[in-house]
Amino acid sequence: MKFAWIDLRTVPDEQRESIVDAAIHAGVEAIVDDSPQTLRTLPPTVLKVLAGPHDDVADLGDYVLLEEVGDERGITEVLSRPRPQGQTGGAVVNVTDDPSLTLACQSASRLPYTVVQFKDPTKIPLEIVIAAADKAPGTLICRAEELEEARIIIDVLEKGSEGVLLAPRDANDVFRLVAAMRATTSPLTLQKLHVTAIEHSGLGDRVCVDTCTHFEKDEGILVGSYSHGFILCSSETHPLPYMPTRPFRVNAGALHSYVVGQDNRTNYLSELKAGSTVLAVGADGRTRRVVVGRIKLESRPLLTIRAGAEDGAEVTLIVQDDWHVRVLGPGGTVLNVTELKPGDELLGYIATDQRHVGWPVGEFCVEK
């Protein structure tokens, strides 16, 4: 779980109280300040981080002392210094060149807490530090200058249990940062659908969705003609006899079809474009957000798949009428659409709401 550290050192006096209240309410991991007096007021649910040595640390309780280090000797001093009860050592490393990047890697590998600050906007050095600290027990935090940079850092930290340090402009920045940290995609409950009919439907326009992500072998995207029902369409991760695999692509369906995205939102396939997002969905219901690199719309013969759920819900999917187009069945079984027959089992998702411009609405609507 990624976490947020809030830096109060540059926050104007008139904003400090509201930002501290927001940080406590939002459940941030830590608050950083150079004033022990402010840190004393924090509840035990928030980690106290004191920036730089200070004489007045009596009754501060458990806290982290952050000290700026400029060489390997500084790291050794942080490690070896005798500490009063409740104090834990940590370091701030300013990364400006290759030697300081090496120092950041050493600190992240050896110290309980390391805050890194980068001079240049590239995030390659951060990736290097993350790799260096991957097996280390310490905690790595990267400083962001503003909220948009924090969001970029969060994506860099996708595979790590790491944090972001931000000096917010106001209380709203605190809530936005925490929301970005907690942005996840919830799993979906997939159902078995039984094919009821297969129909050759003639020429129409179908859409291939090319993403910026490799799909796993049991992943695809949920597509359907109706807003309440979707079939799990397979990616082209699996080998085909007449063409190379394209593990980023899903031959999804006719351009009118709905596709499931993040936050219970749907889009028409015709609406997708480079930079759009959809949900990659696994056969076990796990989900993740993926970015669309492009969509490819072409006229092809179409095939209509009709299926039913156990509760009687009807699901329809119109796809390209070709053997290499595939959907997924229970357990991630790969099924060629032209070989489907009534009674075959597919994986699908039944939504509980109708849709208006992609958002769920509780209104009467009939689709057929």
Side-chain angles (χ1 to χ4, degrees):
M1 177 66 183
K2 296 175 283 290
F3 51 80
W5 282 26
I6 297 301
D7 190 349
L8 296 178
R9 287 173 289 175
T10 60
V11 171
D13 290 342
E14 62 271 18
Q15 293 284 351
R16 288 174 69 91
E17 183 177 353
S18 62
I19 286 176
V20 169
D21 287 345
I24 295 171
H25 181 73
V28 303
E29 173 79 10
I31 291 179
V32 181
D33 201 8
D34 51 15
S35 167
Q37 182 177 354
T38 301
L39 298 180
R40 285 192 185 94
T41 66
L42 300 178
T45 55
V46 181
L47 178 65
K48 305 169 185 176
V49 181
L50 181 62
H54 202 286
D55 293 333
D56 183 20
V57 293
D59 302 323
L60 192 54
D62 295 336
Y63 69 101
V64 176
L65 175 63
L66 279 184
E67 301 176 78
E68 191 168 320
V69 298
D71 53 30
E72 189 174 355
R73 184 175 61 183
I75 296 176
T76 302
E77 289 177 356
V78 171
L79 279 170
S80 60
R81 181 178 296 118
R83 299 188 178 279
Q85 184 177 0
Q87 185 189 94
T88 302
V92 177
V93 181
N94 291 297
V95 178
T96 59
D97 52 21
D98 190 59
S100 57
L101 175 59
T102 300
L103 182 66
C105 292
Q106 293 172 342
S107 179
S109 300
R110 299 172 62 189
L111 295 182
Y113 295 93
T114 297
V115 175
V116 290
Q117 302 177 154
F118 296 97
K119 180 188 74 172
D120 299 314
T122 175
K123 295 299 179 285
I124 298 299
L126 175 57
E127 296 174 7
I128 294 171
V129 179
I130 291 172
D134 184 48
K135 304 301 182 183
T139 299
L140 175 66
I141 305 98
C142 182
R143 181 181 179 84
E145 294 300 323
E146 40 85 25
L147 191 59
E148 190 56 39
E149 184 185 10
R151 292 191 176 102
I152 296 172
I153 291 170
I154 291 167
D155 286 338
V156 176
L157 298 174
E158 177 184 5
K159 297 183 185 299
S161 180
E162 312 294 347
V164 175
L165 172 66
L166 177 71
R169 297 167 301 177
D170 53 33
N172 288 329
D173 273 0
V174 176
F175 291 114
R176 293 187 185 106
L177 177 62
V178 172
M181 290 288 186
R182 294 175 176 171
T184 58
T185 58
S186 300
L188 297 175
T189 301
L190 302 183
Q191 297 187 22
K192 291 181 182 179
L193 307 176
H194 292 87
V195 175
T196 57
I198 299 291
E199 302 167 7
H200 299 280
S201 303
L203 192 67
D205 294 334
R206 69 95 174 97
V207 173
C208 285
V209 180
D210 291 348
T211 71
C212 301
T213 302
H214 274 73
F215 284 93
E216 300 293 334
K217 290 185 179 298
D218 68 340
E219 281 185 316
I221 61 176
L222 288 166
V223 186
S225 289
Y226 305 150
S227 62
H228 65 268
F230 307 87
I231 290 174
L232 187 56
C233 295
S234 175
S235 70
E236 295 186 10
T237 306
H238 305 273
L240 293 163
Y242 304 109
M243 61 180 65
T245 59
R246 296 181 174 91
F248 54 84
R249 171 174 293 176
V250 178
N251 193 323
L255 82 165
H256 75 282
S257 307
Y258 288 103
V259 59
V260 177
Q262 197 171 357
D263 299 325
N264 199 21
R265 176 78 190 270
T266 59
N267 287 98
Y268 294 119
L269 288 177
S270 62
E271 295 175 334
L272 298 182
K273 59 183 183 296
S276 299
T277 60
V278 295
L279 276 188
V281 182
D284 58 358
R286 71 187 187 279
T287 66
R288 60 189 176 105
R289 172 184 173 274
V290 296
V291 177
V292 176
R294 71 163 181 164
I295 62 106
K296 189 161 74 90
L297 187 150
E298 296 167 310
S299 293
R300 294 289 188 271
L302 299 178
L303 182 75
T304 299
I305 304 169
R306 301 188 188 277
E310 292 183 359
D311 63 0
E314 296 182 355
V315 179
T316 296
L317 173 65
I318 300 177
V319 296
Q320 181 179 344
D321 191 347
D322 196 282
W323 176 82
H324 79 276
V325 181
R326 294 161 163 179
V327 292
L328 292 174
T333 305
V334 181
L335 304 168
N336 303 314
V337 295
T338 54
E339 296 180 347
L340 292 175
K341 59 187 183 300
D344 285 347
E345 290 186 341
L346 312 177
L347 279 179
Y349 174 65
I350 305 300
T352 57
D353 299 301
Q354 301 296 333
R355 302 279 165 170
H356 180 65
V357 293
W359 293 106
V361 294
E363 65 180 13
F364 177 75
C365 178
V366 175
E367 297 174 289
K368 62 182 179 178

